[in-house]
């Protein structure tokens, strides 16, 4: 797989089968916040996402939120509600915050996965950090103005890539 493409492409984070992920050797999940866990137009994650994260913890996964959001208070609040550590203003696709998150979790490249809704930040950042990546469709069409521009190019880049529904 190319460094520019996700390992998998899934319609929603809750559709990722955690039992299969665990069986594949993954033990650490790094997660984006905006439009991956929390819709961009809301302040809280949907109950289905919270339940999915609870199941991940029950299985033994280590979790950390790695967000480009520069509003530390927003990221901190969401991470607290979802019971996980966090890194804000991550500057993805630079891999440094992802690598720092893996260190915090005591994770190796082989047992970590980055999950996010943006190809050019979450996926490229995870790939540059040397870990598997799962791209999810954004939870809402509400985005920052510059993210909306990236989405145009992202749609073109994802043509032909099958999304698991």
């Amino acid at each position: 797989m190319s460094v520019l493409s996700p390992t998998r492409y899934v319609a929603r984070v809750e559709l990722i089968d955690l039992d299969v992920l665990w069986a594949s050797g993954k033990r650490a999940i790094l997660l984006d916040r905006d439009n991956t866990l929390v819709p961009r137009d809301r302040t809280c994650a949907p109950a289905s996402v919270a339940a999915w994260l609870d199941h991940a913890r029950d299985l033994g996964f280590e979790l950390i939120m790695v967000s480009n959001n520069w509003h530390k208070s927003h990221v901190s609040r969401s991470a607290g509600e979802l019971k996980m550590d966090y890194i804000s203003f991550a500057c993805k696709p630079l891999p440094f915050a992802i690598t720092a998150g893996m260190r915090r979790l005591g994770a190796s490249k082989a047992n970590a996965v980055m999950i996010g809704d943006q190809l050019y930040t979450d996926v490229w950042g995870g790939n540059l950090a040397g870990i598997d990546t799962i791209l999810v469709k954004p939870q809402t069409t509400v985005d920052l103005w510059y993210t909306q521009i990236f989405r145009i190019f992202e749609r073109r880049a994802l043509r032909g890539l099958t999304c698991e529904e």
Side-chain angles (χ1 to χ4, degrees):
M1 178 121 341
S2 165
V3 72
L4 305 178
S5 299
T7 309
R8 291 178 58 199
Y9 182 29
V10 190
R12 302 188 317 276
V13 71
E14 308 95 311
L15 293 179
I16 299 168
D17 188 325
L18 291 164
D19 297 299
V20 170
L21 208 57
W22 184 268
S24 75
K26 300 304 178 194
R27 299 296 181 264
I29 304 175
L30 297 91
L31 298 136
D32 176 56
R33 177 189 183 270
D34 297 311
N35 268 340
T36 300
L37 297 178
V38 180
R40 189 82 174 116
D41 56 355
R42 295 184 44 208
T43 58
C44 297
S48 59
V49 170
W52 183 84
L53 291 168
D54 286 341
H55 181 57
R57 274 187 288 280
D58 290 345
L59 288 172
F61 281 103
E62 297 291 330
L63 307 172
I64 189 167
M65 186 181 295
V66 182
S67 174
N68 276 358
N69 194 319
W70 60 84
H71 298 289
K72 185 177 179 179
S73 61
H74 297 180
V75 179
S76 171
R77 182 183 61 242
S78 293
E81 289 170 356
L82 297 172
K83 303 175 208 125
M84 70 177 80
D85 196 4
Y86 70 93
I87 296 172
S88 61
F89 197 58
C91 298
K92 296 173 288 185
L94 296 175
F96 308 116
I98 294 170
T99 305
M102 289 170 33
R103 256 192 319 275
R104 283 193 201 176
L105 300 179
S108 69
K109 291 179 181 183
N111 72 9
V113 62
M114 175 72 206
I115 300 173
D117 70 296
Q118 290 190 55
L119 179 65
Y120 301 124
T121 57
D122 306 313
V123 170
W124 285 15
N127 289 346
L128 289 171
I131 64 174
D132 285 343
T133 55
I134 301 175
L135 179 66
V136 297
K137 288 185 177 179
Q139 292 180 337
T140 179
T141 58
V142 175
D143 265 317
L144 298 170
W145 67 269
Y146 52 86
T147 304
Q148 291 174 356
I149 294 169
F150 284 127
R151 296 275 189 213
I152 295 167
F153 298 102
E154 188 175 86
R155 279 190 294 276
R156 284 188 167 158
L158 294 174
R159 267 190 264 168
L161 188 63
T162 303
C163 181
E164 302 169 31
E165 297 289 335

